[in-house]
Amino acid sequence: MGRAEMKTRRGFLGGAIALSLPTVAMRSARAAAGANERLTVGFIGTGNQGMLLLRRFLEADLGDVAAVCDVNRGSDGYKEPDDVRGREPARELVAKDSGRAGADECAAYDDFRRVLDRRDIDAVVIAVPDHWHSRMTILAAEAGKDIYCEKPLSFAVAEGRRMIEAVRRGGRILQTGSHERSNPVSRFVCEAVRAGRIGTLRRVVTTVGYNNKVGPGPGWEPMPVPATFGYRSWLGPAPERPYHRDRCLYRFRFNYEYSGGQITNFGAHSNDMAHWGMGLDTGGPVEIECLDAKFLAPGSLFTTATETRFRCRYASGVELVCESGTPAVQARFEGSGGWMQTGYQGTTASDPALLEGLPSPGKGRQSPHSLHLANFVECVKTRAEPRAPVEIGNASAVLCHAANALIRLFPRTGPGLVVEWDPAREAFVGNDDAKSMLVPEQRDPWA
Ligand SMILES: NC(=O)c1ccc[n+]([C@@H]2O[C@H](COP(=O)([O-])OP(=O)(O)OC[C@H]3O[C@@H](n4cnc5c(N)ncnc54)[C@H](O)[C@@H]3O)[C@@H](O)[C@H]2O)c1
């Protein structure tokens, strides 16, 4: 049975029957398709996003998943209490993926270095908290793996440079998980703006979501670490801290020791779109100002801004304003000849003629995640540049980190502090407080 036939048969008969196919039949189907053409992949981090990517990868039949890895064996606490994520649920998902060659051979690890040791693994998908991205990416590149690494590419400005170096030195393919780059609608808008459809670009307004979880306030009590959770490995390079469940799974993004709040969560997408429309694949602004920032009471477990607004000026004269809101509009581009905006609630423009050629979001269209993963797999095979290579992922992350530095200073400085930014050096010019905010506290042996 060939792959196409097997897929049709799976679609027709459904998963349960396909599951009963003997393993030997699956293996021969794989051989018939040409084993050399199929990628062998490991998934590192199988939480909220890792599990989604794993599902999309399996649905689109993009390769064989030989390993999954997570420091969490399997626990709830995601969107619903019975919504379980972690390495065992991930391994089971691969095993249940009916008719998949080699599904029975998927190993589950708690140490990502065991995945990198596997010589049969061509590529890894990294979907761990931000404070782990650079270490895993660099070690994966050194181990000869191609890499799909979630956004924001880095956790700190200096990390991005090291990631670029490791990826380019090793001749690796890296796709940043900025999947809007594979969204046909975002592509249309950003490329149209880039091509001058709204005239000279003057201003971009981007949105980041409000914090969508509530964490414990001042005086919170540590909790016992669950037996199924490798908390020390989760912390990795981050400072030693008492465990609380709201520190870790999903909610790490609201704590500056592991992430940058919604500025790097949503902002890594919307500000990446801003750069895309500006025609800026590398580099960044020349001036940044925080206009507003609100925080929870000191001593709260969540430390990131709950609401914020910042402004940047680019050498081209374009102004970028990024603000908290409901991200119905991710990016609005204003030019000398009109405006266009796009986001989770559609795409509009000052004149409908500006949207001529806009792809319809149409039912049945593949999700941007699937398209982005497929682009990665294709590039691993052809060695072409993926849509969101390491330099693009870095530039968008650096902008968010620089803005976050001033956002974090805002309670002390108040409004009106405009700081010069050198995009070539990726550094603030002449403000030591701002500079110091770019260097996170980290510890051995990962520091
Ligand atoms: N592209 C997107 O739209 C999108 C959406 C959501 C999240 N993300 C990104 O994905 C990443 C993960 O976010 P999430 O929401 O899935 O968080 P999460 O907490 O749900 O998942 C992270 C997983 O990584 C595991 N992990 C932590 N340290 C590990 C280690 N040393 N080795 C192996 N596993 C480890 C955790 O146990 C957890 O299961 C973040 O960088 C986030 O920004 C991207």
Side-chain angles (χ1 to χ4, degrees):
M1 191 192 304
R3 288 203 65 78
E5 194 184 336
M6 189 166 83
K7 285 216 80 153
T8 316
R9 185 182 158 119
R10 285 175 60 204
F12 180 66
L13 294 176
I17 294 178
L19 246 186
S20 67
L21 283 172
T23 308
V24 67
M26 297 177 197
R27 290 219 175 90
S28 61
R30 179 184 197 190
N36 293 343
E37 287 170 28
R38 278 184 75 73
L39 277 193
T40 302
V41 177
F43 276 71
I44 303 174
T46 54
N48 169 53
Q49 181 70 358
M51 212 64 151
L52 181 144
L53 292 173
L54 178 59
R55 281 200 184 92
R56 296 287 175 267
F57 188 91
L58 295 171
E59 278 161 19
D61 196 21
L62 292 172
D64 295 323
V65 180
V68 292
C69 170
D70 200 300
V71 296
N72 178 18
R73 194 169 78 202
S75 63
D76 62 18
Y78 284 88
K79 287 172 184 148
E80 303 292 338
D82 59 353
D83 190 6
V84 184
R85 315 277 168 103
R87 66 179 179 272
E88 276 312 317
R91 195 191 58 74
E92 282 158 26
L93 183 72
V94 178
K96 272 189 205 139
D97 183 53
S98 51
R100 183 84 36 205
D104 53 327
E105 292 156 6
C106 177
Y109 301 98
D110 62 359
D111 184 336
F112 71 96
R113 291 168 295 187
R114 300 294 79 78
V115 180
L116 302 185
D117 288 343
R118 290 263 306 254
R119 300 196 52 184
D120 60 323
I121 290 183
D122 306 303
V124 289
V125 175
I126 298 175
V128 293
D130 312 0
H131 67 287
W132 262 115
H133 287 186
S134 69
R135 272 101 184 154
M136 288 187 186
T137 294
I138 291 167
L139 290 174
E142 287 172 356
K145 312 298 179 202
D146 293 315
I147 303 146
Y148 184 110
C149 179
E150 264 309 338
K151 50 47 64 176
L153 187 69
S154 60
F155 169 60
V157 169
E159 293 179 349
R161 281 289 166 93
R162 295 200 283 270
M163 294 167 90
I164 293 173
E165 244 176 67
V167 166
R168 293 302 174 193
R169 193 176 48 236
R172 306 327 310 164
I173 299 293
L174 182 141
Q175 174 89 298
T176 311
S178 303
H179 59 255
E180 290 302 333
R181 294 262 171 179
S182 290
N183 179 342
V185 172
S186 305
R187 176 159 289 273
F188 171 87
V189 170
C190 295
E191 297 285 355
V193 170
R194 200 170 172 138
R197 203 181 272 210
I198 57 168
T200 305
L201 182 64
R202 290 189 172 142
R203 188 166 181 262
V204 189
V205 181
T206 58
T207 312
V208 299
Y210 296 109
N211 292 1
N212 62 339
K213 298 285 173 200
V214 179
W220 59 270
E221 291 286 332
M223 298 168 82
V225 181
T228 53
F229 187 58
Y231 181 49
R232 288 203 65 79
S233 306
W234 186 94
L235 281 174
E240 183 79 49
R241 296 285 183 253
Y243 175 81
H244 189 290
R245 97 182 242 145
D246 286 343
R247 184 184 292 286
C248 299
L249 304 178
Y250 186 86
R251 293 160 172 83
F252 70 85
R253 44 172 66 52
F254 305 118
N255 193 316
Y256 282 128
E257 289 186 333
Y258 323 111
S259 184
Q262 298 297 33
I263 290 290
T264 50
N265 190 30
F266 283 91
H269 289 303
S270 55
N271 293 318
D272 182 63
M273 289 161 73
H275 275 184
W276 190 3
M278 285 182 209
L280 202 89
D281 290 338
T282 59
V286 293
E287 171 185 293
I288 311 176
E289 177 183 7
C290 176
L291 302 169
D292 192 17
K294 294 191 172 57
F295 293 87
L296 296 170
S300 301
L301 182 53
F302 289 180
T303 53
T304 61
T306 53
E307 230 181 294
T308 184
R309 191 157 191 264
F310 72 85
R311 177 193 73 78
C312 300
R313 188 172 58 77
Y314 287 76
S316 61
V318 174
E319 185 186 55
L320 167 70
V321 175
C322 174
E323 56 197 10
S324 304
T326 46
V329 175
Q330 282 175 288
R332 174 186 166 92
F333 297 95
E334 299 168 359
S336 57
W339 57 263
M340 291 169 90
Q341 62 184 36
T342 189
Y344 299 119
Q345 284 176 12
T347 302
T348 49
S350 50
D351 178 347
L354 291 172
L355 297 180
E356 200 183 311
L358 176 73
S360 73
K363 271 194 183 159
R365 186 187 285 283
Q366 273 188 297
S367 77
H369 296 101
S370 307
L371 294 168
H372 207 52
L373 283 165
N375 172 247
F376 169 63
V377 168
E378 183 63 24
C379 292
V380 169
K381 290 177 183 172
T382 62
R383 310 314 288 174
E385 276 292 78
R387 295 197 181 114
V390 63
E391 291 83 2
I392 284 184
N394 177 58
S396 307
V398 164
L399 163 61
C400 298
H401 299 324
N404 255 339
L406 300 191
I407 288 167
R408 294 175 71 179
L409 283 180
F410 190 82
R412 273 196 272 155
T413 65
L417 177 69
V418 180
V419 186
E420 193 183 330
W421 177 258
D422 179 339
R425 287 178 44 242
E426 296 179 340
F428 285 113
V429 180
N431 185 308
D432 289 342
D433 284 343
K435 283 180 192 163
S436 71
M437 298 308 290
L438 295 177
V439 185
E441 180 190 343
Q442 298 208 309
R443 61 189 176 130
D444 290 333
W446 295 102

